Each structure stands twice: as structure tokens, then as C-alpha cells.
Amino acid sequence: MSVLEVKGLVVDFAQRNASVLRAVDNVSFGLEEGETLALVGESGSGKSTIIRALAHLLRPSAGDILLDGARTPRRGRAVRSYRRKVQLVFQDPFASLNPAHTVGHHLRRPLLVHGHARATLEEAVEGLLEQVGLVPASEMKVRFPHELSGGQRQRVAIARALATSPAVLLADEPVSMLDVSIRLEILHLLDDLKRERRLALLYVTHDLATARYFSAQIMVMYRGQIVERGPADEVILHPAHPYTQLLASAAPDPARPPGERGERGAKVAQRRSAEERELAVPGGCRFRARCPFAMPVCEKEPPEAPSRARADSALLALREPPVT
């Protein structure tokens, strides 16, 4: 059974003109203990909205979120118990830390809120800092956020998330604001903590390379919907959905000859005119304006999510000319 299970999640935002923007549309998935699930997609696809809904920073419009098989509360004191088990690491480590308080304060606060004994409080704070590689802990805990590098601040944010001994860790693009030279260190840290603590980790990113490297499973999101899911290597190396093909073709590949985007990526790229990039496509398949395999039926109804084998066969048939 999944540690955290999402069923039919919907998040709507009211607009000034009385219309409704559906940011997340009927999304379902599960997070397993000790495993990483990557959620990828371009900016505006709804990835961070899902994260905030799971962290109870946004109230879902519909759907269920189950923690250890039990439906999670949406208000009241029970929300604190849920948040203790489901913690969030934000994208920007500087914005997520109060510059007026020391590192030690940021770690003491969640420990005290969730009932840690004051007698062993400093020992617990230093233990958290050591777990994330900030040593000597006695010196690091008296520093302020502005005295730390970007990587060190993100390590503090991770330590704060671990202070409540969570079962689920939600990482919202945790390395996108960091220097390239230290991104791998933070990813390795998260991976080590996941194994040591048996965490269920949801890793949100727009970078397919880190998603493949860091996760066992990948979900691809487009305009609020999950369009493809599968093992990381299969999704990246053999994408079935045209949108996933577009993302994969845009990712840097040292083995690819200069100027060559691959057959699938080239076909998708040929359709990306200004008109085809319009977001306001009412009804039918949401990707049809950018899809090289769009058919008239796509204007009327969205496609079902076929198996990967069926999807690959369908795309191959569309690419091959008819036999005469």
C-alpha cells in the first residue's frame, strides 16, 4: 500500500471574470516508502500546485489524499498531525528561511511545535545539521541565512523538513536555484536520506536529466493532467506521448550529433508555430494544437491513457506511410 495516495485530485482557481482555471485535473498516483517519484513538465503545467495541495497549503477542489490509507483532514488540529508526516522543501532556500533568525531557531521551532523535549533540544538540532552535512554543527546553528551559501541554505531547509521525522518528503525543484556544481551534492543528500529514513519522495522538476538520474518512476504533466507515467529509463529513452517526446527532444544529449533532434522531436518541433502554442484550446485533447499526430477526433474528446506498448504501436502506425 502506498504511504501517500492521491485519488482524482482537482484544484481550481477562481478568476476575476467569474471563470474558473483548472490547474490540476483529476490526477491520481501513489508514493511508495523508500522510493522516488519524479513529476516533470514545463512551467505552468501544475506541478507546484500539486505539491502545495499535498502540503495543505492549498485546499483541493475535489479528490482525496490518503496518508497510510486514511483520508487526510482539510482543517482543524488534525492537519498538524498530517503536516508532521508530510513535509515540503521549497525551491528557493533563501526565501524559505527567515533572515532575522539563526539556523538553530529554524530547527528548534518545528521540534518544539511537535512536542520535542527541551532537555535534548540542542542535541537534536546539532544532530539534524550533521545529518545534512553542515559541520561543525555547534558553529553552523548560530549563523544567519545570509552567512551561508545557497547549497548550505538548502541543506538547512532539508534539515528543517526532517525535524518532524516525516514519512513523505515533497521536494519542489530543490536544486533549480543552486549552482550547477553543487546540484549533484544536494541530490545525493536527498537520495541518501530517502534510503536511511525510508522516505516516500516526490521530486518535482522540469529537468528530465535529473529526473531520470534521481528517480525510479517518472510522471509527465501537461496543463494539469498526467499524460504519461512509467519507469524512468523507459519514459525518457522511449517516450510514448508526443508531449514527452517534445520534452525529451529538447533535453541536451552529448551523444546526439549537433543539430540533430531525432525523428520524433523533429516532427513535434515542426508543428510549434505561434498559433499552435496557444493555450486556450477548448475541449478535446489539450495537446492537439502542438501534436504532430492530431486527428479530427482529438477536437471532440481527450484520448484514453493506453498502455505503453499500445501507445508506441499507435505512434509507429501514424509515422509509417500506408501500404499501397
Side-chain angles (χ1 to χ4, degrees), residues 239-246 262-271 276 285 287-299 303 311-321:
H241 195 279
Y243 176 64
T244 313
Q245 297 170 22
L246 173 64
E263 180 186 358
R264 290 181 174 181
K267 287 192 174 184
V268 175
Q270 290 171 3
R271 297 288 299 268
E276 292 166 340
C285 176
F287 189 66
R288 71 177 187 272
R290 295 166 61 181
C291 180
F293 312 115
M295 298 177 287
V297 68
C298 300
E299 299 180 5
D312 285 335
S313 297
L315 292 176
L316 181 62
L318 285 169
R319 288 197 303 272
E320 292 180 346

Side-chain angles (χ1 to χ4, degrees), residues 298-309:
C298 300
E299 299 180 5
K300 300 177 181 179
E301 57 185 30
E304 296 181 1
S307 67
R308 292 190 56 79

Side-chain angles (χ1 to χ4, degrees), residues 9 23 46 82 86 109 129 131 141-142 146 148 150 166 168-169 214 222 253:
L9 184 67
Y82 173 84
V86 180
R109 182 65 177 170
L129 291 172
Q131 285 185 52
K141 70 179 182 180
V142 298
H146 72 271
L148 306 177
V168 178
L169 194 62
F214 187 52
Y222 179 72
D253 185 357

